[in-house]
Amino acid sequence: MVSYDPLDSSVTSHPYPHYAALRDMARVAWIESLEGYAISKWDDVLDVLSNGKVFSSAQFWPVLLGEYDPVPEVQPMISLDPPHHIRIRKLANAAFVPGRIKHLDSQIRDIANELIDDIISKHGTSGEFDFVWEFSALFPVTVVADILGVDLEKRVSFKHWVDDLLSAGNRAAYGPERLAVIQKSSEDIRAYFEKLYEDRLASPKDDMISGFIKAEADGQKLSKEEVLNLAILLLIGGVETTTNLLGITFAHMRSMPEVLDEVRADYSKIPSMIEEMLRFDGPVQMLFRHTTKEVELAGTKIPKGALVLPLLGSANHDEEMFEDSESFKLDRNPKKIMSFGQGPHFCLGSYLSRMEAKLALEVLLDRFTVLESVSDDVEWMDSYFARGPKSLPVKFETS
Ligand code: HEM
């Protein structure tokens, strides 16, 4: 019997041994607590994600957010199947192609430098600060907020709202107090974006929200709810994930200082470090799909209408795909990783997030001669879907 209970926080804080047992003993495993089939091998995860007809995304958002969905009237693109998915994807994709993103380079560097200036003015030229709350949670939210056109003063609220919404995935394990906090965050995020929508409708600016309000997809304007949903999806998709990638990176560097030294000596190794970190411990651990008909996967029959959970974190550790898969190797340069998904819903922001992570690391290493997590004990987020440290106290020295 394989013990993998995604609702058990000791499992979610160290999921990899559990994934290994699944791959070894039950590559398609029924998970009682989530009432779904966990898929742990690379090839099977690839099959599921590539076949949107049989493995539908339509229930993705309802499963993740349940009654805490801030915009339940319409589904966001991540929860739409073709052909409806294509309509919004085309429109949003146009805003995220490398040609539109590349020129943000110096703006993104400035954001990282300004955050570090704030840290130094608050804490001095050496000491301790919380890497998550004072850098990694603020950096991508500022980048995405700039792009979307949202209020920078609300940055910290965004992090709370998004954390709470993502933790709704664990709602079955929570009591009324925690659920009330999630409910409040869901209402607050909706109220914020409704107000922003109304403001931009009345006086458009040169930002993405105004662009979405103006845009037409297949000759039709997006409805107000579609715009709200898209903005919230970009915030959830674009903020938490990149925040967590940076947090995960520095959480692990404590146990592998030689990697950081190597990268410090040669910045051209930063992209290899990011790619291997995405594989080794990625910010998105699993996705959600539902079968549209009975299907057989790796010898297991899955009934129609069943919840299927492709474990991206497990696929990334599949020993048939990656030699010595449980080790971090700076020079691995994996050709393929599962961290951004596969198939029609492949991450829209993969280029932006890699670019953000690279620029952030360059600026951090330039400005800090020492930047180390102070403890071996990392408190991981309360989610089996998203992975990242809740907070990360670090000691620092400036150059
Ligand atoms: C390290 C950072 C990131 C990771 C690990 C990540 C991961 C993922 C994954 C696994 C999916 C696939 C979902 C599925 O198949 O159901 C996805 C989709 C998506 N991501 Fe990301 N993401 C990251 C950064 C971003 C950024 C920066 C943005 C935008 C600002 C973004 C926007 C989206 C959107 C809109 C989708 C839905 C695409 C669709 O449904 O067609 N992501 N992401």
Side-chain angles (χ1 to χ4, degrees):
M1 181 65 189
V2 179
S3 69
Y4 169 67
D5 178 3
L7 294 185
D8 178 341
S9 59
S10 69
V11 171
T12 40
S13 50
H14 298 288
Y16 296 100
H18 302 272
Y19 294 157
L22 285 177
R23 288 193 303 275
D24 193 32
M25 281 144 59
R27 57 196 284 176
V28 177
W30 172 252
I31 305 298
E32 196 60 48
S33 61
L34 292 189
E35 300 186 359
Y37 293 84
I39 314 297
S40 49
K41 295 283 289 176
W42 175 281
D43 287 349
D44 302 334
V45 169
L46 186 60
D47 280 355
V48 168
L49 296 182
S50 309
N51 188 349
K53 274 199 180 134
V54 174
F55 298 99
S56 158
S57 289
Q59 295 299 315
F60 189 124
W61 227 228
V63 167
L64 182 66
L65 299 180
E67 60 275 38
Y68 302 99
D69 185 346
V71 193
E73 300 93 326
V74 290
Q75 288 300 305
M77 136 173 78
I78 204 164
S79 207
L80 290 174
D81 289 329
H84 306 294
H85 170 246
I86 308 293
R87 176 174 162 255
I88 310 226
R89 168 100 191 182
K90 263 202 290 193
L91 189 141
N93 198 31
F96 281 92
V97 289
R100 287 276 185 96
I101 297 292
K102 265 191 200 135
H103 73 278
L104 298 172
D105 187 297
S106 66
Q107 200 175 326
I108 294 177
R109 255 180 220 284
D110 288 349
I111 292 171
N113 271 310
E114 280 161 24
L115 289 171
I116 294 171
D117 291 343
D118 288 351
I119 291 167
I120 294 171
S121 63
K122 186 169 165 202
H123 299 278
T125 52
S126 65
E128 273 188 26
F129 72 95
D130 188 327
F131 184 75
V132 169
W133 286 95
E134 293 177 68
F135 186 81
S136 69
L138 301 181
F139 170 68
V141 82
T142 311
V143 174
V144 176
D146 253 15
I147 297 176
L148 277 174
V150 306
D151 191 354
L152 289 188
E153 282 161 24
K154 280 271 184 250
R155 289 187 305 199
V156 175
S157 308
F158 281 137
K159 167 80 176 141
H160 284 295
W161 292 338
V162 172
D163 272 3
D164 286 340
L165 282 184
L166 287 175
S167 75
N170 291 22
R171 60 195 173 280
Y174 293 147
E177 253 175 53
R178 177 82 189 116
L179 293 176
V181 171
I182 300 175
Q183 178 67 33
K184 170 97 176 53
S185 285
S186 171
E187 286 164 11
D188 287 351
I189 198 169
R190 173 159 185 144
Y192 178 81
F193 277 104
E194 279 208 355
K195 165 128 191 9
L196 190 67
Y197 179 92
E198 300 301 342
D199 287 354
R200 294 297 188 270
L201 191 64
S203 40
K205 287 197 177 169
D206 183 24
D207 58 34
M208 221 183 247
I209 300 270
S210 307
F212 291 150
I213 294 174
K214 259 195 302 207
E216 294 199 354
D218 294 345
Q220 255 183 305
K221 291 230 181 256
L222 295 185
S223 68
K224 172 177 158 185
E225 287 74 20
E226 282 176 323
V227 173
L228 296 185
N229 242 339
L230 192 49
I232 293 174
L233 175 66
L234 291 176
L235 200 65
I236 293 185
V239 168
E240 193 68 24
T241 44
T242 311
T243 294
N244 286 338
L245 173 59
L246 292 170
I248 288 168
T249 302
F250 280 93
H252 285 300
M253 283 309 119
R254 183 174 161 87
S255 61
M256 21 177 135
E258 69 291 351
V259 172
L260 198 56
D261 289 347
E262 214 177 317
V263 168
R264 224 181 236 292
D266 180 358
Y267 282 11
S268 72
K269 293 186 177 168
I270 289 178
S272 307
M273 180 198 202
I274 294 166
E275 221 47 27
E276 174 66 343
M277 194 53 79
L278 281 162
R279 181 202 72 82
F280 180 71
D281 201 6
V284 180
Q285 288 292 309
M286 74 163 74
L287 295 173
F288 306 97
R289 298 291 190 264
H290 280 80
T291 49
T292 55
K293 60 176 194 174
E294 185 185 273
V295 59
E296 191 169 313
L297 191 65
T300 301
K301 272 213 170 75
I302 304 180
K304 180 178 173 182
L307 169 64
V308 173
L309 308 161
L311 302 178
L312 308 186
S314 177
N316 276 334
H317 280 234
D318 189 335
E319 34 292 283
E320 283 183 48
M321 198 56 201
F322 305 100
E323 204 189 309
D324 194 8
S325 61
E326 305 294 350
S327 307
F328 181 98
K329 292 187 177 173
L330 181 56
D331 59 357
R332 185 187 297 274
N333 294 314
K335 285 199 182 60
K336 292 179 187 166
I337 51 173
M338 200 55 87
S339 321
F340 293 108
Q342 285 288 331
H345 291 278
F346 182 80
C347 178
L348 204 71
S350 62
Y351 184 86
L352 173 63
S353 59
R354 283 178 169 125
M355 175 168 146
E356 282 181 69
K358 172 179 167 287
L359 295 172
L361 278 161
E362 285 176 9
V363 174
L364 285 164
L365 296 182
D366 269 351
R367 303 281 308 269
F368 294 119
T369 47
V370 173
L371 188 62
E372 285 169 18
S373 152
V374 297
S375 164
D376 290 330
D377 294 324
V378 175
E379 199 188 342
W380 294 96
M381 277 172 63
D382 212 1
S383 164
Y384 50 84
F385 162 72
R387 180 162 169 81
K390 265 191 192 165
S391 64
L392 194 72
V394 288
K395 70 171 186 212
F396 74 97
E397 281 171 30
T398 50
S399 42

